Amino acid sequence: MAYSYSPFVLLLLLLLLPFSLSAAVATATGHEYTAPREKMTHLHFFFHGRFASPNATAVLVAVPPGRNATFDTFGAVIVLDDMLRDGPEASSKLIGRAQGLTAQASLEGTHLLMVVNFEFTAGEYNGSSLAILGRFVPDVSGTERSIVGGTGKFRMARGYTVGNVYIWTASYFVLELDAYIVHY
Ligand SMILES: *[C@@H]1O[C@H](CO)[C@@H](O)[C@H](O)[C@H]1NC(C)=O
Ligand SMILES: *[C@@H]1O[C@H](CO)[C@@H](O)[C@H](O)[C@H]1NC(C)=O
Ligand SMILES: *[C@@H]1O[C@H](CO)[C@@H](O)[C@H](O)[C@H]1NC(C)=O
């Protein structure tokens, strides 16, 4: 007598097959990793810096030996604690600080290497930060800088910022920044 499954048993086998297969895969290695979905966040804000005393937000801390250097002398290093605001006015809401340093790292022209942390202190990203690495070219629009990492909501971040000169005077400046951040 031929051995045959009843239609009901066949249906049950078909329904259970995917589960038994995936269970077999899971127990086979136990080390499957599913990467979280990435998202893109676009932030638009303003970077305010003040060269002049009192209340300067940038100080020249090191100059090449034997030179009366300014910030654009090759080798000069500045430490900065600039302000991130949600608008271009000095009274615009403070949303974070840009803390780090620049070094005039170009023998020709003024192309500062900028290594700075954007530490957000208000709003949705309060407590999170972005690590920025790139060129700072005074008074030039369209400069891109790399986002090489982040913390908090910006863990594992990468991306770039684009800066446009909004105000540039001898005593202070305002840059308009767009940050395009890929993160989890
Ligand atoms: C410097 O900071 C002090 C204290 O915050 C403030 O009262 C003063 O107006 C500031 N001066 C300038 C020129 O911004
Ligand atoms: C730096 O400037 C001071 C004052 O202007 C001057 O006396 C000195 O000779 C300068 N030093 C150098 C190395 O240029
Ligand atoms: C930002 O977070 C800190 C620490 O959690 C908190 O003390 C502070 O009040 C927050 N600031 C704003 C503006 O939400």
Side-chain angles (χ1 to χ4, degrees):
M1 180 175 135
Y3 190 79
S4 71
Y5 291 110
S6 78
F8 175 74
V9 171
L10 273 178
L11 185 66
L12 199 66
L13 279 175
L14 281 176
L15 285 176
L16 290 178
L17 197 60
F19 294 103
S20 52
L21 276 182
S22 60
V25 169
T27 48
T29 73
H31 293 286
E32 287 75 19
Y33 173 73
T34 311
R37 274 176 71 86
E38 286 184 329
K39 56 189 167 212
M40 160 75 89
T41 298
H42 171 212
L43 298 181
H44 177 245
F45 51 93
F46 292 81
F47 184 118
H48 295 240
R50 186 174 168 79
F51 310 120
S53 294
N55 307 343
T57 59
V59 288
L60 187 61
V61 294
V63 296
R67 302 277 300 277
N68 278 334
T70 61
F71 79 96
D72 59 353
T73 307
F74 181 63
V77 176
I78 289 171
V79 173
L80 54 93
D81 183 0
D82 290 336
M83 290 143 296
L84 303 176
R85 297 187 185 277
D86 69 357
E89 288 85 31
S91 58
S92 301
K93 186 181 171 193
L94 188 70
I95 59 161
R97 311 292 304 199
Q99 299 175 330
L101 49 86
T102 64
Q104 161 51 328
S106 178
L107 282 165
E108 283 178 28
T110 303
H111 304 132
L112 312 181
L113 169 69
M114 180 178 224
V115 182
V116 70
N117 246 349
F118 286 174
E119 293 282 346
F120 294 98
T121 55
E124 188 183 348
Y125 300 105
N126 185 10
S128 300
S129 74
L130 291 172
I132 311 293
L133 180 69
R135 255 187 177 183
F136 185 79
V137 187
D139 204 5
V140 169
S141 282
T143 308
E144 289 189 17
R145 281 174 279 272
S146 309
I147 296 172
V148 296
T151 66
K153 290 192 172 165
F154 294 132
R155 280 180 185 167
M156 310 293 282
R158 60 192 195 285
Y160 61 98
T161 65
V162 185
N164 285 309
V165 177
Y166 196 86
I167 298 172
W168 195 278
T169 74
S171 57
Y172 75 103
F173 67 89
V174 177
L175 304 178
E176 182 178 28
L177 282 188
D178 285 288
Y180 299 91
I181 310 148
V182 174
H183 61 111
Y184 294 128

